[in-house]
Amino acid sequence: MTDDARFMELALDEARAARDEDEVPIGAVIVRDGEVLARAHNRTRSECDPTAHAEVLAIRRATASVGWLRLEGCTLYTTVEPCFMCAGAIVHARLQRVVWGVRDEKFGGAVSLGQVLDHPRANHRVRGEEGLAAEASRTLLQEFFRSKR
């Protein structure tokens, strides 16, 4: 198993934890030099906070753990394409790379609805890679929303 696959599996574990808490099943993990700095999952419902997305929570935890607002050299693994808010936070935190499972056609700010991560006018660009563990990520989302209907 590659390092990317191993870290994406941790993000999937976080997504499953979100599902078990009746949150939209999205998980995120931030890694630098093979070390996990932070893990998180969506908590928007439980915290009654529309900004409590997995990626934002992971960024908050990672910056707290390193004691600095920049996360240069870090990779964020997330099960779903970051939304505009999360993509903006990723750029502001200066992450190096984002790896996600499945596109979010309705809210995605990395490729689906916009190109926030690598916009040519931005002062920092983040490399995005999609498709890792896409089927597992998609299945978690589909099963969650099917159970709500």
Side-chain angles (χ1 to χ4, degrees), residues 4-99:
D4 281 347
R6 182 167 55 94
F7 295 130
M8 183 58 86
E9 188 58 39
L10 295 177
L12 285 164
D13 288 345
E14 288 294 323
R16 292 180 194 103
R19 174 203 59 204
D20 294 347
E21 295 172 13
D22 199 33
E23 297 277 358
V24 176
I26 298 174
V29 174
I30 297 178
V31 176
R32 179 167 35 200
D33 298 327
E35 177 188 356
V36 174
L37 298 180
R39 299 170 61 144
H41 55 271
N42 271 16
R43 298 194 45 81
T44 57
R45 294 174 182 199
S46 60
E47 294 187 13
C48 206
D49 178 356
T51 70
H53 288 200
E55 299 91 336
V56 169
L57 295 174
I59 288 169
R60 290 174 185 164
R61 292 173 184 167
T63 56
S65 88
V66 300
W68 180 238
L69 66 132
R70 304 286 188 232
L71 295 171
E72 287 111 346
C74 292
T75 298
L76 184 145
Y77 297 87
T78 182
T79 56
V80 177
E81 174 188 0
C83 70
F84 280 87
M85 175 186 67
C86 293
I90 289 164
V91 170
H92 281 293
R94 305 293 194 269
L95 282 129
Q96 178 179 345
R97 183 169 77 120
V98 178
V99 178

